Amino acid sequence: MSLLSALSIVCGLMLQLNFSLLSAEYCVPRKTVFYQSNLKLFKEDGIFNYSTMLIRDDLGVLLLGAREAIYALDINNISVQKAAVYWRVPEEKQRECTYKGKHAEVECRNYIRTLHSLNDTTVYVCGTNAFSPTCDYMTFANGQLTLKGKQEEGKGKCPFDPFQRYSSLMVGNDLYSATSINFLGSEPVILRSSSLALRTEFKSSWLSEPNFVYMDFMGESFDSPDGDDDKVYLFFSENAMEYDFYRKVAVSRVARVCKGDMGGQRTLQRKWTSFLKARLDCSFPEPSLPPIVQDVFLLRHKDWRKSVFFAVFTPQSSLSQVSAVCAYTVSAIRGIFNEGKFKTSVAVETSHVKWVMYTGEVPVPRPGACINNVARKMGMNHSLDLPDKTLQFIRDRPLMDEAVHPLTGGPLLLKRGPLLTRIVVDSVLALDGETYNVMFIGTENGYVQKAVNFDGEMFIIEQIQVYENPVAIKILRLSSSKGQLYAGSESGAIQMPLCNCGRYQSCEDCILSRDPYCAWDSSTQQCSSVYSLSASPKTAVQSLKEGNVSQCPSPGPIAAVDLALIPGNNIQLPCQLHSNLAQVHWRFSDLHLQTNNKYYIYSRGLLILNTSTSDAGLYFCDSVEQINSRIYNRTVAVYHLQVFEPTVAVSPSPGITVTKYFIQTSKTATTGSQPDLESEDLPMAENQSDTGKISRLKVAVALLSLFCLSLIGVILWLWKQGHWKCFGFAQNSKGSEGKRPSADYTHIKNRNSEIKLLGAEAGRPCTANNNHTAVDFKGNGEYHFPPLANIASLDGLGYIHDESEI
Ligand SMILES: *[C@@H]1O[C@H](CO)[C@@H](O)[C@H](O)[C@H]1NC(C)=O
Ligand SMILES: *[C@@H]1O[C@H](CO)[C@@H](O)[C@H](O)[C@H]1NC(C)=O
Ligand SMILES: *[C@@H]1O[C@H](CO)[C@@H](O)[C@H](O)[C@H]1NC(C)=O
Ligand SMILES: *[C@@H]1O[C@H](CO)[C@@H](O)[C@H](O)[C@H]1NC(C)=O
Ligand SMILES: *[C@@H]1O[C@H](CO)[C@@H](O)[C@H](O)[C@H]1NC(C)=O
Ligand SMILES: *[C@@H]1O[C@H](CO)[C@@H](O)[C@H](O)[C@H]1NC(C)=O
Ligand SMILES: *[C@@H]1O[C@H](CO)[C@@H](O)[C@H](O)[C@H]1NC(C)=O
Ligand SMILES: *[C@@H]1O[C@H](CO)[C@@H](O)[C@H](O)[C@H]1NC(C)=O
């Protein structure tokens, strides 16, 4: 078992190395930040489904809706609960719900799905309430959350089914909602609950088994030369009517209604007269069924025409593992609705209906248009005045012929691996004076991807694991003013800062991160947030589009670490890169080292097997990273191997600073069979070069390499069949994002001796950060050898912690 797991780990490593060569690297997050327990988390025992949020900056709270509970949490630290209120389902109601065939403990509970601000003191709340949606008013005053107990009918405002997606929006005192209005969930509706309630016509040409995801408001009457009205935009997917296909195909849509709509007089009475919809296009690199919109975020611009909707799409077929983000400007969507052609249905043969472009005459006022100056000139002041001709036209033809195309023609981001679920976007003013849109995208396995698109170049700055378990992120909210991101899942809510520039410790690392929030502050020698630069920005360095590190102070010479070489021993030279996009290159006296029967290059360093005196010399570990088609090559570690001769003084080579490192071993990790590293006695070399053991290892490594090479061959062949422009090896991201170390990995981890470097220069890559250095040099002629003896058994490949550490 342990052999198998070790095998899979080693192969994982080898495959990974090879695939990073093939992948268009922008699709792989540059940095992976694993779960950190200092993340601010909120959850209450016994409460689940934290999936509704409302940020109330004015009250300093985040309102969080969960199953049968609503919380007011401190907006600066959501671990601090300021108040809570519980809204449970009465027993009788729950019984009623189970009689109707629903699951008592799952569906027959009250899931809070709606939280909308009404005014400074009151919030509108709706819950599924055991398949009997109900709404209420809630206040937050004197540190207390109070439900008013109004028990308003929630049908059409909130879904019956807690698993059904829906969307709603409060505009003034009007609630716009898109959900199912019946118990079975079969009657979809887009409803405005107001003094003049309006809804969609119940026709499959209007809505066909829709899945509603997002709604937002756009104040288009502002500064409008044609006297246009404000609008509500809605994003959803539904069964396509425009495709001739042997089975149902879903498509993504954007629809809109006008705020001032009052319905028609005779035709479309109490129905929308301004409901128009169009297909949303977001083409994936490979021909496939239309992708499905999962979430949308509206990034508002001062000029509403330039506001942009960012949408996350996932494939329709579960076979594919590619997600995308596409963006659409409000003016592009308006263009289609205001000027585009309509689709119309024509009967083909007997019962079959086909949707084609309508080429006949379009009545005036234009069907679906809001009341504007054109209509007013014709004496029509509201939709009730619209002529039947216009209304009949729109009742039968709500679909536009042309699709809305993304801003950049194609996706802003394509990512292979665990599917993307939710998105929010922040715009950041960088030092170059440009504004960058930074996307924060939740995944189905508890990660947040932080990504940007630099003039067409897709780039994932980092992926941050925000949940310990791989749960889907169900909601994301952003507070630009607080610089915080809030996420919710079944198991709890978390809060994380939008940037953590301190993660980047050197100038090069700070620049190469290409994080618009971060710049290298030369005066403090720190990677700092652009909002908190100490001195004038003149001393700060940032290079987002180019990733040009030439302005960084030239890094001093890398200190060579002296290591003793005992012929016949194995030796391990640690070197860990700071980027998932970088490749490690090892050099030894003009030789470019490759994994073979002598060298083994793995993610954390180099292993030299059965050393001899000819292996003495300088070893360089280079990090080679491709940023924007340019290669950045920097040496991150140097080792000086010298044949062990205790009497000979060490003389440093010219140009190389020799630093003396003192190594302390932690006692707990040293197992009995290993040399006693605490003692001052020289360990016997023979103990570590047991030839029998080494040859066993060599055979194992060779076999493994063969096995992995054949695997690589197969996958290379598979890869050649497709032609992904953006190929982030699925297993790669899945493996490293999703899986937690299993018991097997943990057991390998525990065998590893922890040896800590003391006195290493802070911030120097591969030294200060590395607490697994295995070889030791004290500089006083006394040498201590690492617990490499155990390496011979595969079980003891202690240097691999788990496959996620790549
Ligand atoms: C947030 O609140 C929790 C709970 O009160 C506390 O333990 C933690 O230290 C706080 N974190 C910060 C950064 O203030
Ligand atoms: C807020 O709205 C609620 C419900 O509509 C209403 O009862 C209350 O008076 C309003 N409060 C203020 C301060 O406007
Ligand atoms: C709520 O959370 C529970 C526990 O994680 C989960 O089993 C259930 O599917 C969730 N319900 C919904 C509607 O997401
Ligand atoms: C429309 O409004 C204008 C000015 O507000 C008014 O003069 C006109 O009579 C109205 N037309 C109708 C049909 O109500
Ligand atoms: C990097 O920046 C320096 C000066 O800031 C400039 O001279 C150099 O041409 C740039 N290099 C690239 C590849 O853009
Ligand atoms: C990186 O730089 C070193 C010298 O600075 C050079 O020897 C090595 O070949 C370079 N590697 C690559 C991949 O360019
Ligand atoms: C190393 O092996 C020698 C015999 O080859 C033995 O005497 C000695 O005790 C061993 N030392 C350790 C630390 O295991
Ligand atoms: C180690 O190398 C020496 C020669 O350098 C060789 O004689 C010996 O057989 C090697 N040992 C193993 C286990 O391969």
Side-chain angles (χ1 to χ4, degrees):
M1 184 56 222
S2 57
L3 182 94
L4 264 180
S5 64
L7 195 98
S8 62
I9 293 166
V10 174
C11 283
L13 285 176
M14 291 187 167
L15 288 175
Q16 196 131 16
L17 280 175
N18 281 277
F19 270 94
S20 61
L21 287 170
L22 296 174
S23 60
E25 287 164 322
Y26 43 75
C27 291
V28 176
R30 183 170 182 275
K31 214 174 174 81
T32 304
V33 181
F34 290 104
Y35 182 76
Q36 286 167 339
S37 53
N38 62 3
L39 217 62
K40 289 169 191 153
L41 170 76
F42 176 81
K43 64 176 180 189
E44 187 180 339
D45 284 345
I47 303 278
F48 298 97
N49 317 97
Y50 301 83
S51 51
T52 312
M53 284 181 183
L54 175 64
I55 292 178
R56 286 296 297 257
D57 266 325
D58 54 337
L59 303 173
V61 294
L62 172 78
L63 295 175
L64 174 67
R67 190 166 77 184
E68 305 190 328
I70 305 155
Y71 304 93
L73 309 175
D74 187 330
I75 192 129
N76 296 310
N77 181 356
I78 65 162
S79 302
V80 179
Q81 175 186 319
K82 289 189 160 178
V85 64
Y86 300 91
W87 183 1
R88 300 203 167 87
V89 180
E91 231 171 83
E92 198 183 321
K93 191 134 230 164
Q94 195 169 21
R95 219 175 303 126
E96 231 173 78
C97 170
T98 50
Y99 289 156
K100 291 181 191 160
K102 300 295 173 189
H103 192 290
E105 285 311 309
V106 179
E107 291 155 307
C108 298
R109 307 284 293 265
N110 189 18
Y111 293 78
I112 305 302
R113 300 292 302 270
T114 306
L115 287 171
H116 291 304
S117 289
L118 276 175
N119 54 37
D120 288 353
T121 54
T122 312
V123 171
Y124 197 61
V125 191
C126 302
T128 59
N129 200 26
F131 260 75
S132 154
T134 309
C135 300
D136 200 352
Y137 297 84
M138 184 177 73
T139 57
F140 178 61
N142 308 322
Q144 281 216 300
L145 279 176
T146 315
L147 282 167
K148 295 292 174 197
K150 292 258 174 69
Q151 301 279 318
E152 273 187 13
E153 174 65 69
K155 219 195 253 184
K157 298 177 182 171
C158 173
F160 287 67
D161 184 344
F163 290 95
Q164 200 173 57
R165 290 291 298 275
Y166 100 109
S167 185
S168 70
L169 179 72
M170 191 67 80
V171 180
N173 280 321
D174 297 350
L175 180 74
Y176 290 78
S177 53
T179 183
S180 275
I181 203 162
N182 64 341
F183 182 88
L184 290 176
S186 56
E187 207 173 311
V189 70
I190 300 166
L191 186 71
R192 185 179 69 201
S193 308
S194 60
S195 50
L196 186 66
L198 281 192
R199 52 171 291 177
T200 38
E201 183 94 310
F202 187 52
K203 272 178 104 172
S204 66
S205 57
W206 282 47
L207 294 168
S208 174
E209 298 178 36
N211 193 25
F212 301 110
V213 303
Y214 182 81
M215 248 186 197
D216 219 326
F217 175 77
M218 189 57 62
E220 296 181 21
S221 63
F222 179 77
D223 188 25
S224 167
D226 48 0
D228 203 356
D229 193 6
D230 297 339
K231 313 224 167 52
V232 169
Y233 287 93
L234 170 67
F235 292 80
F236 62 104
S237 56
E238 65 167 350
N239 288 334
M241 52 212 234
E242 61 264 48
Y243 294 128
D244 259 336
F245 211 64
Y246 62 94
R247 65 174 176 89
K248 280 183 187 169
V249 175
V251 279
S252 300
R253 302 267 194 230
V254 55
R256 72 104 209 264
V257 291
C258 303
K259 183 170 171 250
D261 199 341
M262 297 169 80
Q265 191 70 260
R266 286 181 300 275
T267 310
L268 291 178
Q269 221 178 67
R270 298 247 155 183
K271 304 277 164 62
W272 298 107
T273 65
S274 56
F275 177 75
L276 288 175
K277 62 179 182 180
R279 187 168 68 81
L280 270 181
D281 169 67
C282 179
S283 43
F284 280 31
E286 226 172 52
S288 58
L289 292 174
I292 302 303
V293 61
Q294 295 297 342
D295 193 31
V296 178
F297 181 83
L298 171 60
L299 187 66
R300 292 182 186 274
H301 191 278
K302 282 194 300 287
D303 176 3
W304 56 261
R305 291 168 188 85
K306 292 186 184 152
S307 294
V308 176
F309 289 104
F310 288 78
V312 165
F313 290 84
T314 60
Q316 188 155 160
S317 130
S318 55
L319 294 173
S320 179
Q321 279 262 305
V322 177
S323 317
V325 176
C326 279
Y328 309 87
T329 57
V330 167
S331 32
I333 300 174
R334 264 173 74 83
I336 301 285
F337 288 142
N338 290 1
E339 282 139 39
K341 294 231 164 23
F342 294 88
K343 268 202 193 308
T344 189
S345 62
V346 291
V348 209
E349 291 157 9
T350 42
S351 59
H352 190 63
V353 166
K354 214 178 150 95
W355 286 79
V356 296
M357 196 206 316
Y358 176 81
T359 50
E361 201 177 313
V362 175
V364 185
R366 185 181 158 94
C370 303
I371 298 298
N372 54 18
N373 293 343
V374 175
R376 282 185 204 104
K377 256 188 213 139
M378 294 170 75
M380 299 164 195
N381 290 349
H382 32 70
S383 63
L384 293 165
D385 304 333
L386 288 171
D388 272 350
K389 229 172 136 191
T390 292
L391 296 178
Q392 277 158 6
F393 185 99
I394 201 64
R395 185 191 58 198
D396 298 332
R397 299 174 190 87
L399 179 64
M400 305 312 298
D401 183 57
E402 207 187 317
V404 179
H405 296 288
L407 175 62
T408 47
L412 290 179
L413 184 77
L414 280 165
K415 174 141 196 338
R416 193 167 258 263
L419 298 177
L420 305 179
T421 56
R422 299 291 185 270
I423 186 169
V424 292
V425 184
D426 191 23
S427 60
V428 189
L429 180 64
L431 296 187
D432 60 7
E434 271 192 58
T435 300
Y436 292 86
N437 299 330
V438 182
M439 303 177 264
F440 296 86
I441 312 160
T443 68
E444 62 179 353
N445 65 340
Y447 276 74
V448 170
Q449 310 280 337
K450 180 178 180 181
V452 270
N453 188 300
F454 294 114
D455 296 340
E457 183 204 358
M458 306 170 186
F459 188 72
I460 302 180
I461 299 164
E462 53 192 9
Q463 60 173 351
I464 303 139
Q465 187 184 18
V466 294
Y467 286 100
E468 214 170 345
N469 299 315
V471 290
I473 290 183
K474 288 286 176 68
I475 187 163
L476 273 185
R477 287 287 182 265
L478 175 94
S479 170
S480 288
S481 59
K482 299 272 177 221
Q484 299 288 319
L485 184 75
Y486 305 91
S489 75
E490 280 173 5
S491 62
I494 66 98
Q495 170 188 1
M496 66 167 237
L498 298 179
C499 64
N500 190 344
C501 303
R503 269 205 269 278
Y504 303 106
Q505 293 182 348
S506 69
C507 179
E508 282 85 359
D509 215 24
C510 185
I511 301 302
L512 293 180
S513 76
R514 302 170 80 195
D515 186 332
Y517 292 98
C518 299
W520 182 256
D521 188 341
S522 331
S523 58
T524 59
Q525 295 284 300
Q526 272 176 344
C527 192
S528 312
S529 155
V530 288
Y531 298 123
S532 68
L533 285 173
S534 64
S536 69
K538 287 221 170 65
T539 64
V541 186
Q542 198 182 41
S543 172
L544 298 176
K545 285 181 185 156
E546 290 83 28
N548 182 349
V549 297
S550 65
Q551 280 194 63
C552 279
S554 62
I558 298 284
V561 177
D562 272 307
L563 293 177
L565 178 149
I566 296 187
N569 262 356
N570 302 327
I571 199 161
Q572 202 178 358
L573 307 180
C575 179
Q576 203 182 351
L577 304 186
H578 285 193
S579 161
N580 296 332
L581 303 184
Q583 284 182 303
V584 67
H585 285 198
W586 281 92
R587 285 182 288 130
F588 167 60
S589 59
D590 301 330
L591 230 69
H592 178 75
L593 302 185
Q594 253 142 5
T595 291
N596 55 26
N597 59 3
K598 175 147 188 69
Y599 301 105
Y600 178 66
I601 297 171
Y602 62 103
S603 65
R604 301 175 71 86
L606 169 72
L607 178 65
I608 309 172
L609 297 167
N610 188 18
T611 53
S612 63
T613 48
S614 61
D615 291 323
L618 285 170
Y619 289 78
F620 296 86
C621 173
D622 295 335
S623 160
V624 179
E625 182 165 5
Q626 188 177 339
I627 291 269
N628 202 355
S629 79
R630 272 202 309 279
I631 300 284
Y632 283 94
N633 173 1
R634 67 182 150 141
T635 301
V636 287
V638 182
Y639 293 96
H640 190 195
L641 291 200
Q642 294 157 95
V643 178
F644 172 52
E645 276 173 72
T647 50
V648 176
V650 177
S651 58
S653 320
I656 303 287
T657 332
V658 174
T659 319
K660 296 184 176 168
Y661 289 89
F662 297 89
I663 296 170
Q664 189 193 44
T665 63
S666 90
K667 263 188 178 157
T668 48
T670 320
T671 62
S673 63
Q674 287 160 355
D676 181 4
L677 294 161
E678 294 294 299
S679 107
E680 293 288 293
D681 296 329
L682 277 183
M684 296 295 115
E686 302 83 53
N687 301 58
Q688 297 153 56
S689 58
D690 179 327
T691 22
K693 281 184 181 174
I694 286 187
S695 39
R696 272 199 342 250
L697 173 70
K698 279 176 83 170
V699 169
V701 166
L703 279 176
L704 262 177
S705 307
L706 270 177
F707 172 69
C708 296
L709 272 174
S710 55
L711 253 180
I712 291 165
V714 168
I715 299 196
L716 262 177
W717 176 82
L718 282 173
W719 180 74
K720 279 192 186 128
Q721 305 305 300
H723 45 272
W724 288 102
K725 181 177 155 226
C726 164
F727 189 89
F729 184 37
Q731 205 164 315
N732 162 351
S733 23
K734 216 178 180 141
S736 58
E737 284 169 21
K739 288 182 213 142
R740 302 299 309 155
S742 72
D744 284 330
Y745 305 150
T746 316
H747 127 123
I748 288 174
K749 181 171 187 156
N750 288 343
R751 281 169 169 261
N752 194 66
S753 314
E754 301 268 339
I755 302 175
K756 292 198 176 68
L757 272 171
L758 292 182
E761 287 159 75
R764 190 159 314 283
C766 303
T767 54
N769 287 345
N770 199 305
N771 52 6
H772 306 288
T773 309
V775 187
D776 163 21
F777 171 71
K778 269 196 168 181
N780 57 359
E782 292 178 342
Y783 293 81
H784 287 250
F785 283 86
L788 269 178
N790 248 13
I791 202 143
S793 79
L794 261 179
D795 226 359
L797 280 170
Y799 48 85
I800 301 164
H801 273 202
D802 65 63
E803 62 177 314
S804 61
E805 296 189 14
I806 299 144

